[in-house]
Amino acid sequence: RLAKSVFDKLDQPVNKITELREQNLPLLRELLQSHGIDWNEPEYGVFGAFKLPNDRNSLEFVDDECAKESLLAVPGCMFSEKMTSWLRVAWSIEPQDFANGIKALDKALNRIAR
């Protein structure tokens, strides 16, 4: 009964994911491009990861630069010791919040580019 009760609503989360991707990903693409960061954008979903410039340690980047901007970010080392210079990013939040996060990430990335 439970499955039957939600069956006609299954498209709602997929539609929301699509909406957030369409609104938020262009901001992330632009930011990464402006910092010269190559990125293989996932075709689906709400998470991705990119490698920080100059093989910067992502745990230090999160603890130092992101913390200065009150930016919540997830270092790649949380997933694999081979991802120490990777940063995980999620675009599954409301567009205004994501835009604010992109601004904070831009500031953090600018500081490590010096």
Side-chain angles (χ1 to χ4, degrees):
R1 288 186 212 158
L2 182 60
K4 188 176 182 179
S5 70
V6 298
F7 190 74
D8 63 338
K9 296 176 177 64
L10 292 178
D11 61 333
Q12 290 177 2
V14 173
N15 291 341
K16 185 64 175 181
I17 288 169
T18 301
E19 174 189 326
L20 293 173
R21 284 181 62 88
E22 290 173 354
Q23 293 183 42
N24 292 339
L25 279 180
L27 298 177
L28 180 59
R29 281 185 212 116
E30 183 180 327
L31 172 76
L32 296 177
Q33 185 177 31
S34 74
H35 285 275
I37 297 172
D38 291 326
W39 185 49
N40 292 321
E41 182 177 315
E43 291 184 42
Y44 306 100
V46 294
F47 299 103
F50 63 90
K51 192 171 185 180
L52 292 170
N54 304 316
D55 290 322
R56 173 68 188 239
N57 182 290
S58 60
L59 182 59
E60 292 173 4
F61 179 72
V62 167
D63 286 347
D64 298 337
E65 306 310 327
C66 293
K68 290 175 185 172
E69 300 301 326
S70 299
L71 177 65
L72 177 62
V74 180
C77 63
M78 298 290 291
F79 304 98
S80 169
E81 61 186 37
K82 295 177 182 177
M83 296 183 70
T84 57
S85 62
W86 288 77
L87 193 70
R88 185 177 192 225
V89 63
W91 45 85
S92 58
I93 62 175
E94 291 303 316
Q96 187 58 52
D97 294 331
F98 190 77
N100 291 337
I102 287 293
K103 289 176 187 173
L105 181 57
D106 185 42
K107 290 177 183 177
L109 288 168
N110 281 330
R111 278 198 298 278
I112 66 169
R114 295 181 196 158

